[in-house]
Amino acid sequence: MAIGHCKDVENGEIVINGLEDLEEPFIQKEGKVVSYQDEDDDQENNGGSVGMVFLSTFVAVCASFEFGSCVGYSAPTQSAVRDDLHLSLAEFSTFGSILTIGAMLGAITSGRIADIVGRKGAMRISACFCITGWLAVYFSNGSLLLDIGRFSTGYGIGVFSYVVPIFIAEIAPRNLRGLLTTLNQLLIVTGSSVAYIIGSIIPWRILALTGLVPCILLLVGLCFVPESPRWLAKVGLDKEFQVALRKLRGKDADITREAAEIQVYIHTLRSLPKASIRDLFKSKYIRSVIIGVSLMVLQQFVGINGIGFYTSETFAQAGLSSGKLGTILYACVQVPITVVGAFLMDKSGRRPLIMISAAGTFLGCFLAGTSFFLKGQNMFLDWVPVLAVGGILVRDEPL
């Protein structure tokens, strides 16, 4: 990963070209980091090849596809799983939601795991958790093994949610980094959409086995791609660092400058004082922290998982003739909206896109809530399915 030269200037600032490292501490002490773009960005990979970068990215986003497969599994299988295993609504709700508990724990531990065993090692561990989880779901005859399997897959995708974008950002040249990291979210949505569609056609146990495919592709593919050069340099494996960077940039590329920049950048970060949690509550940081955390919390509280995990049954309860048809329609809308959101993110900016998405989410929730209110009051029953479908599709915004 190309990071520009560093130097100390007279006022104590540390200047770093192209500062885009995702692991950079949010708080800096005794000096600040100033970033600027190098004038010759387009020359950073002259004479090199991006073939290995694309291959490595393809392998990594198999984990993103697996993430989506896990998220989308419960929606098309709700009625079949409940009928076959004689589960109550509460038991299936536990099965659906326990994924998020596992994902939360996986996300909490992901940084430490990725730092200790490397990016590839973390993805291997996560894939093993997902494989174990899918096999538990496949062989389950009751709620206990079903929940254990769902929790295990949740833990695996929780680690994936951190390590995949980190890995892609660390191996990609600067001019391709934005494009390649966008593939992470796109493949997550694609994975869930595929689960929605094929889950409406095949039995739920077979659908669980299809979740093994991305994990197997990931484990096999990791044998043929290099480790993140950034991590190798960070842990002091200098020879392996040079070999990995050479594989990623091509045998004819001049990696001298990029290798030096990475080493200088890591040395600079090590020399900076460590920040603590208490520093986040200082007056100069607290406003940014509140805004950032609030956006993330409110994004989750809009309840998109409540729709995504139980889409088929939601459409059926709204009176749609076929819950599976609604699920397929929901799946077909997700991918185009994600593509449009990724395109608009750079064109329109983050803030306008968040505001538009929040407005769409509000409208969708209002329409869906109104539909079920009218159904409960036995009013305008012909409009209930229309409002429910419209509301759910409208709220499927790139928030």
Side-chain angles (χ1 to χ4, degrees):
M1 179 176 177
I3 304 296
H5 299 295
C6 306
K7 64 179 181 179
D8 292 327
V9 294
E10 294 180 359
N11 59 359
E13 295 178 347
I14 299 170
V15 180
I16 300 178
N17 293 347
L19 180 64
E20 296 176 20
D21 183 64
L22 297 178
E23 294 180 333
E24 176 201 355
F26 178 71
I27 298 171
Q28 307 288 353
K29 296 181 179 180
E30 298 178 3
K32 61 181 180 180
V33 177
V34 179
S35 72
Y36 57 84
Q37 287 294 335
D38 201 343
E39 294 179 356
D40 55 352
D41 273 355
D42 58 342
Q43 298 178 1
E44 77 170 2
N45 201 34
N46 279 354
S49 171
V50 294
M52 181 57 72
V53 173
F54 286 136
L55 175 61
S56 300
T57 302
F58 170 79
V59 171
V61 296
C62 288
S64 305
F65 190 92
E66 173 68 12
F67 188 117
S69 300
C70 294
V71 171
Y73 178 79
S74 61
T77 61
Q78 180 172 349
S79 59
V81 172
R82 289 188 63 190
D83 292 342
D84 289 353
L85 301 184
H86 309 291
L87 300 183
S88 66
L89 180 60
E91 287 175 324
F92 188 85
S93 297
T94 300
F95 166 72
S97 59
I98 201 171
L99 177 85
T100 60
I101 306 299
M104 179 179 66
L105 294 177
I108 291 173
T109 58
S110 59
R112 181 66 64 180
I113 293 174
D115 283 343
I116 293 175
V117 301
R119 294 13 176 173
K120 289 174 59 177
M123 286 189 278
R124 287 190 178 103
I125 292 173
S126 302
C128 290
F129 269 97
C130 289
I131 289 173
T132 302
W134 286 124
L135 291 177
V137 170
Y138 177 80
F139 289 108
S140 61
N141 290 312
S143 61
L144 179 59
L145 192 57
L146 200 67
D147 291 343
I148 291 174
R150 184 74 165 167
F151 179 86
S152 180
T153 57
Y155 184 86
I157 67 175
V159 177
F160 281 147
S161 68
Y162 168 81
V163 72
V164 171
I166 285 287
F167 178 75
I168 295 174
E170 289 182 346
I171 65 171
R174 188 181 301 132
N175 60 323
L176 294 176
R177 194 168 300 141
L179 171 65
L180 296 181
T181 51
T182 302
L183 293 178
N184 175 54
Q185 181 63 31
L186 180 61
L187 266 292
I188 290 175
V189 175
T190 302
S192 63
S193 296
V194 170
Y196 288 149
I197 294 172
I198 66 175
S200 302
I201 303 171
I202 64 177
W204 63 273
R205 293 187 190 273
I206 303 302
L207 182 61
L209 292 182
T210 64
L212 300 176
V213 176
C215 295
I216 295 172
L217 290 176
L218 176 65
L219 290 174
V220 173
L222 287 174
C223 298
F224 300 97
V225 301
E227 178 59 270
S228 163
R230 172 64 59 93
W231 179 77
L232 292 171
K234 183 178 179 181
V235 297
L237 299 175
D238 294 334
K239 182 178 179 181
E240 291 82 354
F241 158 66
Q242 295 283 344
V243 171
L245 190 59
R246 173 69 65 188
K247 286 183 179 179
L248 288 168
R249 300 298 178 253
K251 62 180 181 179
D252 297 325
D254 182 5
I255 63 170
T256 305
R257 179 186 174 191
E258 184 175 2
E261 289 172 346
I262 292 175
Q263 295 282 18
V264 170
Y265 182 71
I266 290 176
H267 175 75
T268 302
L269 289 183
R270 286 174 178 170
S271 66
L272 293 172
K274 299 296 183 181
S276 66
I277 295 295
R278 291 192 301 271
D279 294 322
L280 292 174
F281 298 96
K282 292 183 177 180
S283 58
K284 58 182 177 179
Y285 302 123
I286 190 64
R287 182 174 182 271
S288 299
V289 170
I290 291 175
I291 292 173
V293 173
S294 297
L295 284 174
M296 290 187 288
V297 171
L298 293 175
Q299 179 191 33
Q300 297 302 312
F301 270 91
V302 299
I304 188 61
N305 288 336
I307 297 293
F309 289 174
Y310 314 106
T311 304
S312 181
E313 192 64 22
T314 301
F315 283 124
Q317 290 293 324
L320 197 66
S321 58
S322 173
K324 291 184 177 180
L325 177 62
T327 302
I328 293 173
L329 182 61
Y330 181 79
C332 293
V333 169
Q334 283 196 113
V335 175
I337 285 183
T338 302
V339 173
V340 170
F343 175 77
L344 292 177
M345 187 177 297
D346 289 330
K347 298 294 183 180
S348 304
R350 276 61 168 172
R351 185 171 178 269
L353 189 59
I354 290 175
M355 295 174 68
I356 293 172
S357 299
T361 302
F362 168 79
L363 178 61
C365 289
F366 179 79
L367 293 176
T370 300
S371 70
F372 284 99
F373 174 79
L374 293 176
K375 180 182 178 181
Q377 300 298 317
N378 290 318
M379 298 170 58
F380 305 105
L381 296 181
D382 291 340
W383 283 92
V384 168
V386 176
L387 291 175
V389 173
I392 291 172
L393 295 183
V394 167
R395 80 191 298 275
D396 190 26
E397 297 267 353
L399 187 62

